[in-house]
Amino acid sequence: MNQYSQAFRAHLSHKIIHIPTKYDRTTSQYVVRWKDIQLYFENAKYVLNGHEVVTFISGDDLEDLTPLRISYHAGVVLEVVTDTKGSQSASTAYEDHQRITVVSSTTNFHSDLSTPPSRVDTGKILSLPQQ
């Protein structure tokens, strides 16, 4: 049974939910599938780790692997940015974009299977309030 979960919160929110990870044999790392993130965050657009975008894992050909997935970030709360129509002006969106640095998920993973990644407090998986 999988004992790891990734902590997420909606961008600029304090409420944290935990989504179970899955072990990906293709990449030999724990991952969170994009569709699992979308189950909890309606209209999810991208994920941030601080001011860095967490990119989808790509293969040797630099194409995103399918199903889409991101690397597990042990001990980190990732922020999910959603498409909230009308809540962000074009200038604010541009300013946010200018502060973001894109980094590759492939450089941010735990590959030594002899020692498991740090355990994250798994708590209960919370569902977001219905809007």
Side-chain angles (χ1 to χ4, degrees):
M1 179 174 207
N2 181 17
Q3 61 179 343
Y4 304 110
S5 67
Q6 180 66 59
F8 290 94
R9 70 172 161 233
H11 188 57
L12 304 178
S13 171
H14 297 289
K15 185 175 182 177
I16 296 173
I17 67 162
H18 296 267
I19 299 177
T21 62
K22 300 196 180 318
Y23 183 74
D24 181 5
R25 292 182 186 158
T26 303
T27 61
S28 300
Q29 64 180 301
Y30 287 93
V31 299
V32 181
R33 297 179 307 175
W34 182 243
K35 68 181 178 179
D36 292 337
I37 295 168
Q38 291 175 314
L39 287 173
Y40 296 96
F41 297 93
E42 186 177 353
N43 300 318
K45 298 299 278 182
Y46 57 92
V47 175
L48 293 172
N49 182 1
H51 290 292
E52 297 179 347
V53 172
V54 178
T55 60
F56 295 119
I57 298 172
S58 57
D60 291 338
D61 60 359
L62 301 181
E63 293 295 323
D64 294 339
L65 297 178
T66 55
L68 295 174
R69 62 200 100 163
I70 64 170
S71 297
Y72 167 58
H73 292 69
V76 175
V77 178
L78 299 176
E79 292 189 53
V80 179
V81 178
T82 58
D83 181 14
T84 51
K85 300 189 186 318
S87 67
Q88 188 178 41
S89 70
S91 63
T92 303
Y94 177 77
E95 289 168 7
D96 285 349
H97 177 73
Q98 294 303 307
R99 289 193 297 263
I100 294 171
T101 305
V102 176
V103 294
S104 170
S105 290
T106 57
T107 61
N108 228 358
F109 66 92
H110 179 84
S111 60
D112 180 5
L113 297 180
S114 62
T115 55
S118 312
R119 183 179 170 97
V120 174
D121 176 20
T122 56
K124 290 184 178 178
I125 297 177
L126 305 173
S127 60
L128 295 177
Q130 299 298 320
Q131 295 183 9

